[in-house]
Amino acid sequence: ETLSSSPYPALYYQGKMATSNDKHECKVRINDFILSSILSDPEASSLVGSIDNGTSSSRFLLITSAGKILSTAQVEYDQCFPSSSPYNEGSSCAGWHEHDPFAIWDSVAVCIVKTVEELAKHGLDLSIESNNSIVKAVGITNQRETTVAWNDRTGRVYYNAIVWDDTRTAATADAIMKENKQSDVAPQDVLRSKTG
């Protein structure tokens, strides 16, 4: 498949489509009691999906309108702690923490696909027209300030995601806090008041 023929150009990295692998198992759990009540009257049922992307894994939950959890799925992904900088050979990378952005994407996609597949095996096929309107919305939570930059025209990423607990810019943040020191504001809140 080529970039131009894909309906999802952001799924590409260095010209190749991101693909799921089975390196990390997807664990899907279904609440049979909740499922049986949905199966008894699917037209009266409504679900909300929740994508929870954490620091070490992604999860997908389906929750009823009564707040009961129908299903959960989870896939872990690898953590990347570089030993050397691609931009400054020989420099220390202590404190660096990165993720492959496509591992994150793939983990979310696998969670959703495996959930739909498992529910279908148990009698609730969300892919058929009569059932696909049961899921009314999907919300997303993410892992704090993890950042990834990509080209919005090509969908190609520029580098790995920089994880929220990465310390490579700690010296810069400290310098900014010292430069903008205010007597009535704690040093760590100087940046927070400007950036949120």
Side-chain angles (χ1 to χ4, degrees), residues 52-190:
D52 178 14
N53 176 250
T55 305
S56 61
S57 68
S58 293
R59 288 160 296 285
F60 180 65
L61 291 80
L62 284 173
I63 304 162
T64 69
S65 57
K68 305 289 184 190
I69 298 174
L70 167 62
S71 64
T72 64
Q74 181 177 13
V75 174
E76 294 181 351
Y77 42 82
D78 292 332
Q79 307 300 302
C80 179
F81 301 100
S83 57
S84 63
S85 169
Y87 304 107
N88 190 3
E89 256 187 71
S91 65
S92 171
C93 293
W96 287 28
H97 187 186
E98 302 174 356
H99 288 150
D100 174 345
F102 292 102
I104 296 171
W105 175 266
D106 286 350
S107 69
V108 171
V110 167
C111 282
I112 294 169
V113 167
K114 293 293 185 185
T115 296
V116 171
E117 288 175 354
E118 285 300 311
L119 287 171
K121 288 178 191 175
H122 287 82
L124 181 60
D125 188 350
L126 296 175
S127 68
I128 60 173
E129 192 171 332
S130 61
N131 289 339
N132 65 17
S133 63
I134 291 175
V135 179
K136 304 296 183 188
V138 177
I140 302 171
T141 64
N142 65 358
Q143 48 173 305
R144 302 185 188 185
E145 293 81 23
T146 295
T147 302
V148 64
W150 70 90
N151 185 308
D152 66 345
R153 289 176 308 195
T154 65
R156 290 188 173 92
V157 299
Y158 293 115
Y159 190 71
N160 281 340
I162 308 300
V163 180
W164 64 271
D165 62 352
D166 185 286
T167 61
R168 74 185 76 186
T169 61
T172 303
D174 288 342
I176 292 170
M177 287 188 292
K178 286 177 184 169
E179 282 178 22
N180 294 284
K181 188 175 180 178
Q182 300 170 11
S183 60
D184 60 335
V185 179
Q188 66 272 18
D189 291 332
V190 171

